[in-house]
Amino acid sequence: MREYLLTLCITAAVTYLLTGPVRKFAIVAGAMPEIRARDVHREPTPRLGGIAMFFGLCAGLLVADHLTNLNEVFEKSNEPRALLSGAALIWLIGVLDDKFEIDALIKLGGQMIAAGVMVMQGLTILWLPIPGVGTVALTPWQGTLLTVALVVITINAVNFVDGLDGLASGMVCIAAAAFFMYAYRIWYSYGIEAAAPATLFSAILMGMCLGFLPHNIHPARIFMGDSGSMLIGLVLAAGAISITGQLDPDVMNLFAGSERNTVHQMVPVYIPLLLPLTIIAVPAADLVLAIVRRTWRGQSPFAADRGHLHHRLLEIGHSHSRAVLIMYFWSALIAFGALAYSVNSASMWIVLGVVFLSAIGLGLLLLPRFTPRVPAWAQGFVPPRYRRREPVPEAAEPTAATAQAATPVVPEKAGEPCDGHRPAVTAGVARVNGATAIGPRSRILDRHTSETSH
């Protein structure tokens, strides 16, 4: 566990430290597209955040290769090299798209090629554990098609959900945490070395997301772009493929006792089929709804619009931060609910807990303008919008003498009639002279405005 945590921390540190220089490079390279109709942000924001995430991935794999216990993953399996090859290819395609906006069909072809590269190096689905049937061996063509389909679906599901600041990186981090706990349990509890690559991939993926998230929370200073969203989608799919298609259920020795006990004991084997789907349940639902909505309107499935789940949350009335937290909540509920069910499938408390939390989630969806009343002792620990505001006392009506003394004298302009004194406007007051609640305007926006005015 310590070596996995060390790999996670190194990956997060490298990603975090490189994101700042990458942001400056993106500004110089001009990877700052104009604000589109479907965008939520109000100022041009640099992309190419996937560059820092890719180097974080490389750093995590390099560190793991030099650790005593994790070095066996590289010696006994070719999966880390397959992951790095596919990740490098999909990353290059994403960088080109962030800079030049390549066609959607070209990106789809690149995703399929990246998945094929991983299949050629051994990262593929060999068999499937099917409930009621058992372990079904797949032919090479079946395994290749299923692997490519899973990679493409996962990549596009993560890419579709990348619409709010910190949304995609946070949701994938939650998914990776649940997957890490499941894979580590299979590796440590059952002593199955075939689960070690998936455990390593999940730890590295958590580090990539945690390192990038501080730069990407609202208001974001940089976006991961397609170079980042497609990259983390591929790493997530690689972990699911590794533990689903490479793990032989027979080595877990679960086929013992009565038929009912065998069914309950086989749940950890069936979960690899379901856990990748539950991890991307929210992005996948958004992907399916987007395809149906666009084809129903006679549009291309790849045509962009403002009908995604996060856009609808904003239209309901949720703030940007609250919409992101709601999406986090549902992702965590589905992923960790499936994880808890795999540990003890016969417990009714798990089902009741999931139902109770689902009711809470529905309540949050229906209360977009809910503002909690924070007690006085907790005022300093919550954001300013949740603090109690003291009523402003009404000022006494000034007399003529005090009004004349308090009103500053403004020099008269040439040709202006002298009809009294005018009060001077004080600069620096909120909502006066262009001051906003967000802070000073971006230099990039000011420079762009000044260039266009000339």
Side-chain angles (χ1 to χ4, degrees), residues 53-383:
M53 304 178 80
F54 177 74
F55 283 105
L57 170 67
C58 296
L61 292 175
L62 182 63
V63 169
D65 190 19
H66 289 79
L67 297 178
T68 304
N69 294 328
L70 297 184
N71 185 37
E72 299 179 358
V73 178
F74 295 84
E75 294 178 353
K76 299 180 179 180
S77 174
N78 197 41
E79 295 180 13
R81 299 175 185 86
L83 170 66
L84 185 59
S85 302
L89 180 58
I90 203 69
W91 172 71
L92 287 175
I93 297 173
V95 170
L96 293 177
D97 182 66
D98 289 341
K99 182 63 176 70
F100 301 107
E101 294 284 346
I102 63 178
D103 188 70
L105 292 178
I106 298 178
K107 287 195 296 183
L108 180 62
Q111 295 167 9
M112 299 175 67
I113 294 175
V117 169
M118 293 194 301
V119 170
M120 292 176 59
Q121 300 189 48
L123 187 56
T124 182
I125 299 177
L126 301 178
W127 46 68
L128 289 176
I130 300 178
V133 178
T135 303
V136 177
L138 301 179
T139 63
W141 278 106
Q142 291 174 343
T144 300
L145 292 177
L146 187 58
T147 302
V148 172
L150 182 60
V151 171
V152 171
I153 291 174
T154 307
I155 288 176
N156 286 280
V158 176
N159 192 18
F160 271 50
V161 83
D162 185 23
L164 296 180
D165 297 345
L167 182 58
S169 54
M171 290 182 64
V172 173
C173 184
I174 293 172
F179 206 88
F180 173 81
M181 296 174 67
Y182 172 79
Y184 183 80
R185 176 173 175 264
I186 297 296
W187 173 73
Y188 183 78
S189 300
Y190 294 96
I192 301 176
E193 294 296 333
T199 311
L200 176 62
F201 297 165
S202 302
I204 292 176
L205 183 58
M206 277 194 293
M208 295 166 60
C209 296
L210 290 175
F212 183 75
L213 193 58
H215 299 273
N216 192 232
I217 56 177
H218 184 70
R221 301 180 68 248
I222 185 173
F223 295 151
M224 67 172 66
D226 284 357
S227 60
S229 61
M230 293 197 299
L231 176 63
I232 60 178
L234 182 134
V235 178
L236 182 61
I241 292 169
S242 175
I243 202 169
T244 302
Q246 304 288 329
L247 178 62
D248 187 1
D250 294 334
V251 300
M252 300 178 71
N253 298 323
L254 298 176
F255 302 95
S258 63
E259 182 179 356
R260 182 177 180 180
N261 292 333
T262 301
V263 172
H264 284 300
Q265 291 174 349
M266 281 292 294
V267 170
V269 179
Y270 299 147
I271 286 297
L273 272 178
L274 304 177
L275 193 59
L277 301 178
T278 59
I279 284 174
I280 62 171
V282 176
D286 192 16
L287 173 63
V288 173
L289 292 175
I291 294 176
V292 173
R293 179 178 63 251
R294 294 166 184 174
T295 54
W296 184 266
R297 296 175 181 173
Q299 300 175 345
S300 170
F302 302 100
D305 58 10
R306 287 182 60 90
H308 293 292
L309 294 178
H310 48 271
H311 290 138
R312 294 183 180 274
L313 289 176
L314 296 178
E315 292 175 359
I316 290 174
H318 293 286
S319 64
H320 191 293
S321 301
R322 189 178 294 172
V324 172
L325 291 177
I326 289 175
M327 298 285 282
Y328 285 176
F329 173 82
W330 282 106
S331 298
L333 177 61
I334 297 173
F336 286 99
L339 178 66
Y341 186 75
S342 69
V343 175
N344 188 2
S345 59
S347 177
M348 184 58 62
W349 289 105
I350 296 177
V351 178
L352 295 177
V354 172
V355 172
F356 176 73
L357 293 176
S358 300
I360 294 178
L362 291 175
L364 293 176
L365 289 175
L366 298 176
L367 295 175
R369 293 177 177 84
F370 172 71
T371 303
R373 296 182 61 86
V374 181
W377 58 270
Q379 294 292 315
F381 302 97
V382 296

